[in-house]
Amino acid sequence: MIRSDRVLSWDIFRQYFLPVRKDQRPVSSLLRQLFVSRLLREMRSSQPAEMERSVGTGHLSSETQTVGTSRPLGIPGAPSTSSTSSTSSTSSSPQPSGIPGIPGIPNVPSSPNALGTPNAPGIQNAPNIPSAPHSLRWFVPTSHPEADDRFCRSIAAILPQLSVLDDELLARLPEPMAQDLVFLQEKYTAFLSERSLFEPAYESPSIDYAAEAIPQCGPYCIMFSQAIPDCEKFLAQLGDPEWIITHNIDADDETGPCLEVFENQLQELRTQLRRIEALLERGVPARDIVVTCAGLEDFLDILQEEARLHEVPVRIVQGLSPLQYPAGRFFSSLKRVYDEQASLDSMKSLLLDPCYPWRDLPLHRRLIAKAVELRIDHGNMRNFKGGDQWHARLRRGDVGLADWYDSFKENVRDICTSSTIQMLRRQLNQFQDRFFVDEQWERILEPIVEDEPQNDLAAAASPRTNPDADVYSFCMKRIDQLDDALATGGFTDRPGLFGMFLNMLETAKYVPQQEQKGIPVYAWPLTAGMSPRYHFVMNMSHGAVQVVQCRADFIPETMGDETLRGEDDLTPAVLALYRRTDSLQDGAYLSCSRQTYTDIALPPSWFVEHGRLCPPDRGIVQAPDLFQVENTLWKGEIPATATCTHANQKRWFEQAQRGILAPVQKSLDMARSPVKDVGMLRPLYTTVDGKALLPLSATSLDLFDSCPFAWACKYLYDVDEQEFTVPPVDHRAMGNLIHSVYQRFFQGVTERSGAYNSEQLDSYRELLNEIWEDELQRLSKRPDAPSASTFAWIRYSLQKQLPAILNAEAKTFPDTLSWGYEYKLEEVDLERGYSLEGRIDRIVLLRSADGGPPSPHDAVESNGAMFAVVDYKKGTGIGPKQFNAKMEQGALASCQLPVYRKLVRTALGATVSTGAYYSVKDCRYSIIWKSDDEQAARMDDLLDEQISRLLRAVERGDLSATPSKDSCGNCMFRQVCRRRFAIQ
């Protein structure tokens, strides 16, 4: 808007012709949401029976399911235009007097304005508003009251658009929808009148409201009138005064830049950034360049990342929701903990976030680790103590953590259930005092690297101060606004006040107060009236550039045409503004791409119809693309031109040269060469009778055989894998359960009958079932008991698999005696300098020392006896073919059973003639060896060689990695291994 002496914004100019209401306050979006929320609560509480009358296929009651209206509303005698429901068409009972076609809605006289109240003056063509039933069936599912809060915002957005309702529009809508709109209109009108409020969207401009000096300051020229919504209607309402003229846009003007079409979005972005980079290198100030992005929300992240890589300083001219900052995300994390019943994921998201000023973060880590250990899945925010996994299991495991959790849970629950502003503010302050450091959200200056260049990008992307204090203060001020809205609307309390507070933060826009530098980036079409020296307009796909003004967007697009929704397409006028050029501009670059990251895109139809599309202009100066140069080098070719790196890129390469790209000496890398000082391996040894011994086990021998470096990481550096999630099934716990059941079972068999007797399988089965039920009962009472669903799955799967051992035992080990259970043995070899230990699941006595069958008395004497060793496997164990094939290659597939054989021979003086795995999954034994022959002797020799190889390697300090596909595939030490998984 241009006046004779200055420039005005359109909103300021329009206000000249609106009434000034000194005794009324304008209604805000927050007040609208509060009104809708109270309205839904009143409906649910006053008419529960009516609200629950809904059909199974939808949320409309049988009385209101219609396709359309019988005749236009408020026009008696009009012919029927659509069919009504079966109820209204077949019933012979008289209809209540009222609007024809809508049962039960009486007629009311037309009001002098659309809302029938002095609080909404100036609305023309008022409809004949009927009274509606006291319920909403079209916009709110009547059978799901718990979802009311989710519909508050969408229904509140309808209220400013109710001024478009008239008889003609209502007649074209389905009856249930028309009833809801009329009902909302009546209730909203009464609310505005009661609270002395007015709806700004209902105000109509008039020349009578303007001051006498307004025409005298003219003439006024409205620039780009086609791009202003309802500009023609505005002038008509003023009577088309001669002292207001318009400057129109030629939407068909084919002059101006063409639209460059790139193959994909990344090519478009990188090309435009290299053009900007070239301008900056020529000395063009950043203030002379403007970037506009259509669909900026989807384009923002990749734009910022690519700008950082190309060292192009950008600043986003757009306020963001405070929930996108750590200080704002804190509030949404609190709500998530409450909504998800203190689930483990929500607790981790809140308590482990280092961006929050926690008082005791190590305690939080300990709490989460304990929760993983105890398999805590969720809590119960509605009960203080009872029925909460966190409280019950922590109480049995760590009382201090349980007390801390109770205090935390109580505070979170009180925050999320606050019904008054005073309570909400008090609980938030209490939470901060309990769990935050004393400084709370105070600003923290970030360290400055002295040799780091301070360019525009660094200033824009890395501010000197932490904005969390400002963001948190911004959020707390929203509570004051919420308090004012509650008082203005007459709401004494509001259940779920914290959820309303979060809705405010989600729609609010926080603009950082710190000064930012760089090239401004605007969202489409905010820059339509700007003429910067260099203008780059990106992502101009057909869908992204659409600018459509809709006066009734609550009407679905599938329900009618553009006229029903009151759509006004401003896209041609806006595109014309971006195509125009003037003498002040040195370049305008319009571009789009055919392929985005998520979909196929098309260029705007205007450019297609007028033939204004073109391929990327290679003649425009661009900065060199280091990525293309790098690809050339990888191909072994020489780049055509030398390319200088940016300051940031140079610094990145220098840092990489000191780290991953550093030519580390092979002698200093344990993964590739022996250690120089074998003294650093002393922590591996233990001292027994003044002799240093290396502790060994079957597990450590197998790991060393797989990779010596992985063995060093685990046993020298004590590196272990930490679990941060609770899997649905704890396989280790299931293995312990299986071992416990079988141990007790075979102990009971030995006590009852001595040797295993296949004729007593029925009694054995009863014994096994008793033990199984008892172990399940114990499992259910443990602090780390699985969830009910997992517990049921364990019962269902194992109760079929466990009894299979009865027949397998009778077939494989008939008339044998279970001699030992979870039997721990150790061999100490002072001469060779090692100690070997193992825990055998079960030792079976095959033949006594005198060669006779085993008896219970033989359980005391072992010297000279013949044994079998058994190891239980929950899954499928190693088979004899796999074991023998590995032995033919001069190695052992597993050292477990050979180690058990060696320990029984040396510690018990007995012979192990049989080694077997029992697979619970396959329900059978796998016999690895079954005689004390040459094969068993060969196995003993391979085990001794394995032990000697490990001892020699440790003595020499040679623990180099032995990479292979099998060993490295699932190795958890890959991040520290430079033998295979690093640039060399």
Side-chain angles (χ1 to χ4, degrees):
M1 169 60 63
I2 300 179
R3 204 172 76 174
S4 58
D5 57 344
R6 57 177 172 168
V7 177
L8 300 175
S9 69
W10 168 253
D11 291 335
I12 291 179
F13 178 72
R14 188 175 182 274
Q15 287 181 1
Y16 291 161
F17 308 95
L18 296 178
V20 178
R21 302 185 180 277
K22 298 181 180 180
D23 55 343
Q24 292 178 310
R25 297 181 58 180
V27 70
S28 63
S29 59
L30 178 59
L31 272 171
R32 298 187 192 107
Q33 293 185 43
L34 289 172
F35 160 74
V36 173
S37 177
R38 186 178 68 176
L39 178 63
L40 294 180
R41 292 202 312 272
E42 291 176 351
M43 288 164 35
R44 298 290 185 187
S45 60
S46 62
Q47 295 181 345
E50 180 183 356
M51 293 297 292
E52 292 183 0
R53 289 200 302 266
S54 59
V55 296
T57 58
H59 58 267
L60 303 179
S61 64
S62 58
E63 291 84 358
T64 58
Q65 282 189 334
T66 59
V67 179
T69 57
S70 296
R71 61 193 65 179
L73 296 182
I75 309 178
S80 176
T81 58
S82 60
S83 62
T84 62
S85 65
S86 59
T87 303
S88 60
S89 61
T90 59
S91 175
S92 60
S93 58
Q95 296 287 345
S97 60
I99 296 181
I102 302 183
I105 303 182
N107 280 320
V108 297
S110 299
S111 55
N113 54 59
L115 297 182
T117 172
N119 291 335
I123 302 178
Q124 307 298 324
N125 301 323
N128 189 15
I129 302 297
S131 61
H134 300 287
S135 62
L136 294 175
R137 292 184 174 87
W138 180 270
F139 295 106
V140 181
T142 59
S143 58
H144 298 283
E146 69 279 359
D148 284 354
D149 287 343
R150 302 181 182 180
F151 291 93
C152 281
R153 189 184 305 176
S154 58
I155 297 177
I158 298 176
L159 299 179
Q161 305 178 41
L162 294 179
S163 60
V164 304
L165 297 181
D166 55 23
D167 291 345
E168 181 181 358
L169 177 60
L170 290 173
R172 299 174 62 184
L173 300 177
E175 290 181 10
M177 185 178 186
Q179 290 176 352
D180 280 9
L181 292 173
V182 170
F183 175 67
L184 282 174
Q185 198 172 43
E186 289 180 349
K187 292 295 184 180
Y188 190 48
T189 300
F191 169 73
L192 295 177
S193 177
E194 176 187 353
R195 305 308 304 177
S196 298
L197 301 171
F198 72 94
E199 175 58 69
Y202 296 163
E203 301 294 307
S204 295
S206 173
I207 198 71
D208 298 333
Y209 296 132
E212 294 181 0
I214 296 299
Q216 301 174 4
C217 295
Y220 298 88
C221 179
I222 301 178
M223 303 297 297
F224 320 130
S225 58
Q226 297 105 311
I228 301 176
D230 295 330
C231 183
E232 294 183 2
K233 179 180 177 182
F234 169 79
L235 294 177
Q237 290 172 328
L238 298 185
D240 293 320
E242 297 180 354
W243 40 275
I244 300 179
I245 59 177
T246 60
H247 176 76
N248 298 328
I249 309 169
D250 186 1
D252 295 327
D253 185 8
E254 298 185 1
T255 60
C258 294
L259 179 68
E260 295 181 87
V261 182
F262 292 83
E263 289 299 322
N264 59 64
Q265 206 170 46
L266 188 59
Q267 290 181 2
E268 175 192 3
L269 178 57
R270 287 178 173 173
T271 300
Q272 298 289 44
L273 287 177
R274 290 200 303 272
R275 293 173 179 175
I276 296 175
E277 187 180 348
L279 293 176
L280 295 175
E281 291 176 354
R282 285 165 41 194
V284 176
R287 62 178 178 271
D288 290 347
I289 306 174
V290 171
V291 175
T292 300
C293 288
L296 181 59
E297 293 183 358
D298 299 330
F299 205 60
L300 183 59
D301 291 340
I302 186 63
L303 169 64
Q304 291 179 316
E305 176 63 17
E306 290 295 327
R308 185 182 67 87
L309 294 177
H310 288 80
E311 203 167 323
V312 175
V314 296
R315 58 183 178 91
I316 310 302
V317 187
Q318 174 180 316
L320 300 177
S321 168
L323 298 181
Q324 299 187 24
Y325 294 87
R329 190 172 65 244
F330 160 73
F331 297 105
S332 58
S333 297
L334 276 179
K335 189 64 164 58
R336 181 188 173 193
V337 169
Y338 180 80
D339 290 341
E340 297 183 7
Q341 298 295 309
S343 67
L344 182 60
D345 286 341
S346 65
M347 293 285 283
K348 287 193 297 184
S349 178
L350 174 65
L351 297 179
L352 299 185
D353 195 326
C355 297
Y356 305 153
W358 295 117
R359 184 182 298 274
D360 195 351
L361 191 57
L363 182 142
H364 299 181
R365 297 192 180 104
R366 189 158 58 91
L367 176 73
I368 298 302
K370 197 68 175 178
V372 174
E373 175 187 342
L374 298 177
R375 303 182 57 77
I376 298 175
D377 182 57
H378 60 84
N380 189 335
M381 299 301 295
R382 294 175 175 82
N383 296 333
F384 177 56
K385 291 185 178 180
D388 192 317
Q389 280 189 7
W390 286 88
H391 174 84
R393 298 187 179 184
L394 287 175
R395 179 64 62 180
R396 285 180 277 179
D398 192 319
V399 177
L401 288 178
D403 293 339
W404 187 94
Y405 167 75
D406 289 342
S407 174
F408 167 82
K409 170 186 171 180
E410 180 184 11
N411 210 159
V412 172
R413 185 187 59 183
D414 291 342
I415 290 174
C416 295
T417 57
S418 297
S419 58
T420 64
I421 291 294
Q422 292 75 15
M423 182 180 180
L424 176 60
R425 189 180 284 113
R426 181 173 62 252
Q427 292 300 327
L428 284 173
N429 291 334
Q430 187 178 38
F431 189 94
Q432 293 183 90
D433 295 338
R434 282 183 179 179
F435 306 112
F436 284 175
V437 295
D438 295 337
E439 295 81 5
Q440 296 183 3
W441 297 96
E442 293 294 329
R443 297 182 180 183
I444 301 176
L445 291 178
E446 297 181 352
I448 301 177
V449 182
E450 295 182 357
D451 58 348
E452 183 175 346
Q454 297 298 311
N455 52 25
D456 289 343
L457 179 62
S462 301
R464 287 286 313 283
T465 59
N466 188 342
D468 287 333
D470 292 338
V471 174
Y472 191 80
S473 176
F474 175 86
C475 294
M476 296 304 291
K477 290 180 180 178
R478 301 309 103 177
I479 295 183
D480 297 334
Q481 295 182 6
L482 181 58
D483 189 14
D484 180 70
L486 289 172
T488 302
F491 305 99
T492 56
D493 63 353
R494 200 272 185 188
L497 194 61
F498 189 66
M500 179 65 70
F501 171 62
L502 285 181
N503 288 338
M504 289 182 61
L505 297 183
E506 186 175 353
T507 56
K509 298 297 182 182
Y510 171 76
V511 179
Q513 302 302 311
Q514 296 85 359
E515 181 181 0
Q516 294 181 327
K517 299 180 180 179
I519 298 173
V521 178
Y522 295 89
W524 173 279
L526 298 179
T527 56
M530 297 175 58
S531 296
R533 182 180 174 188
Y534 295 96
H535 197 177
F536 293 84
V537 187
M538 308 181 193
N539 198 34
M540 292 182 60
S541 63
H542 177 77
V545 301
Q546 290 292 310
V547 181
V548 179
Q549 180 73 17
C550 185
R551 300 175 184 84
D553 59 5
F554 56 85
I555 302 176
E557 295 181 359
T558 57
M559 193 171 292
D561 54 13
E562 297 83 357
T563 59
L564 181 63
R565 290 168 48 86
E567 293 183 356
D568 185 9
D569 190 0
L570 308 177
T571 306
V574 175
L575 287 176
L577 290 176
Y578 279 98
R579 295 196 313 271
R580 65 183 178 83
T581 57
D582 54 41
S583 59
L584 299 178
Q585 285 187 299
D586 291 338
Y589 308 93
L590 313 182
S591 63
C592 72
S593 59
R594 300 184 184 276
Q595 175 73 52
T596 67
Y597 280 92
T598 59
D599 201 358
I600 301 295
L602 298 174
S605 58
W606 187 93
F607 291 93
V608 177
E609 294 169 356
H610 293 78
R612 301 296 293 170
L613 300 178
C614 66
D617 190 349
R618 305 299 179 184
I620 302 176
V621 179
Q622 302 178 20
D625 189 351
L626 295 180
F627 180 74
Q628 295 179 356
V629 174
E630 183 179 352
N631 285 338
T632 303
L633 292 173
W634 278 111
K635 294 178 182 178
E637 303 174 0
I638 300 177
T641 58
T643 304
C644 297
T645 58
H646 304 304
N648 285 341
Q649 292 172 335
K650 182 179 180 180
R651 185 168 62 256
W652 297 336
F653 281 117
E654 290 176 349
Q655 292 174 352
Q657 287 179 344
R658 294 192 296 266
I660 191 65
L661 297 179
V664 179
Q665 296 182 12
K666 186 177 180 180
S667 59
L668 300 179
D669 190 354
M670 178 185 290
R672 294 189 291 169
S673 62
V675 297
K676 290 185 177 181
D677 183 12
V678 294
M680 66 177 294
L681 304 181
R682 290 174 184 170
L684 290 170
Y685 292 86
T686 59
T687 303
V688 178
D689 297 333
K691 178 69 174 180
L693 300 178
L694 184 64
L696 300 178
S697 65
T699 303
S700 65
L701 289 171
D702 286 338
L703 182 58
F704 182 86
D705 183 60
S706 175
C707 178
F709 181 70
W711 180 88
C713 290
K714 181 174 179 61
Y715 293 100
L716 176 61
Y717 299 114
D718 292 328
V719 179
D720 199 3
E721 194 171 14
Q722 180 67 46
E723 292 288 342
F724 292 97
T725 60
V726 177
V729 179
D730 188 345
H731 296 283
R732 181 178 298 181
M734 284 190 64
N736 293 335
L737 175 64
I738 293 171
H739 281 66
S740 180
V741 170
Y742 281 162
Q743 177 183 347
R744 292 180 57 188
F745 168 72
F746 283 108
Q747 283 178 335
V749 169
T750 301
E751 294 173 358
R752 285 188 177 188
S753 60
Y756 192 86
N757 189 349
S758 58
E759 296 180 357
Q760 302 184 26
L761 290 183
D762 292 338
S763 63
Y764 291 164
R765 183 171 284 105
E766 293 179 0
L767 175 62
L768 183 61
N769 289 335
E770 292 177 2
I771 296 173
W772 167 242
E773 293 296 334
D774 184 61
E775 287 294 331
L776 284 179
Q777 187 69 15
R778 293 183 181 183
L779 177 63
S780 65
K781 295 181 178 180
R782 290 176 53 181
D784 58 347
S787 62
S789 59
T790 303
F791 186 86
W793 179 84
I794 292 175
R795 173 188 288 273
Y796 175 78
S797 58
L798 290 185
Q799 72 181 3
K800 293 184 177 181
Q801 296 175 346
L802 291 181
I805 199 174
L806 299 177
N807 294 324
E809 187 75 10
K811 179 180 179 181
T812 308
F813 296 112
D815 301 323
T816 59
L817 182 72
S818 294
W819 188 89
Y821 321 93
E822 297 296 327
Y823 207 89
K824 185 177 181 180
L825 296 174
E826 182 179 14
E827 176 198 8
V828 177
D829 193 329
L830 297 177
E831 181 179 355
R832 299 176 65 182
Y834 73 88
S835 64
L836 180 64
E837 65 177 17
R839 183 183 296 272
I840 307 174
D841 289 348
R842 184 161 65 101
I843 301 177
V844 180
L845 180 60
L846 303 177
R847 190 170 62 249
S848 62
D850 59 1
S855 65
H857 303 286
D858 295 320
V860 180
E861 182 63 33
S862 63
N863 191 21
M866 184 72 70
F867 286 110
V869 291
V870 176
D871 189 77
Y872 304 125
K873 297 295 182 184
K874 184 172 66 68
T876 301
I878 300 175
K881 292 183 179 180
Q882 181 181 357
F883 199 91
N884 294 333
K886 196 72 173 179
M887 286 183 59
E888 292 178 359
Q889 301 174 7
L892 294 174
S894 172
C895 294
Q896 188 175 30
L897 293 182
V899 165
Y900 294 167
R901 170 183 167 88
K902 180 179 177 62
L903 290 175
V904 171
R905 184 179 68 248
T906 57
L908 301 180
T911 301
V912 178
S913 63
T914 303
Y917 292 108
Y918 179 76
S919 171
V920 178
K921 177 182 179 181
D922 298 334
C923 303
R924 64 183 180 87
Y925 279 100
S926 295
I927 305 299
I928 303 302
W929 76 89
K930 199 173 183 180
S931 62
D932 193 11
D933 54 9
E934 295 181 359
Q935 181 185 11
R938 172 62 175 161
M939 181 178 60
D940 295 338
D941 294 340
L942 291 176
L943 177 62
D944 287 337
E945 292 176 7
Q946 176 75 358
I947 294 174
S948 299
R949 187 162 56 251
L950 192 155
L951 295 174
R952 290 194 302 269
V954 174
E955 290 175 358
R956 297 194 309 267
D958 187 4
L959 301 175
S960 304
T962 55
S964 67
K965 182 178 181 180
D966 295 335
S967 301
C968 300
N970 297 317
C971 181
M972 66 177 180
F973 306 110
R974 292 169 59 169
Q975 294 181 346
V976 296
C977 180
R978 298 176 64 90
R979 181 66 179 266
R980 183 178 185 185
F981 300 99
I983 299 176
Q984 301 182 23

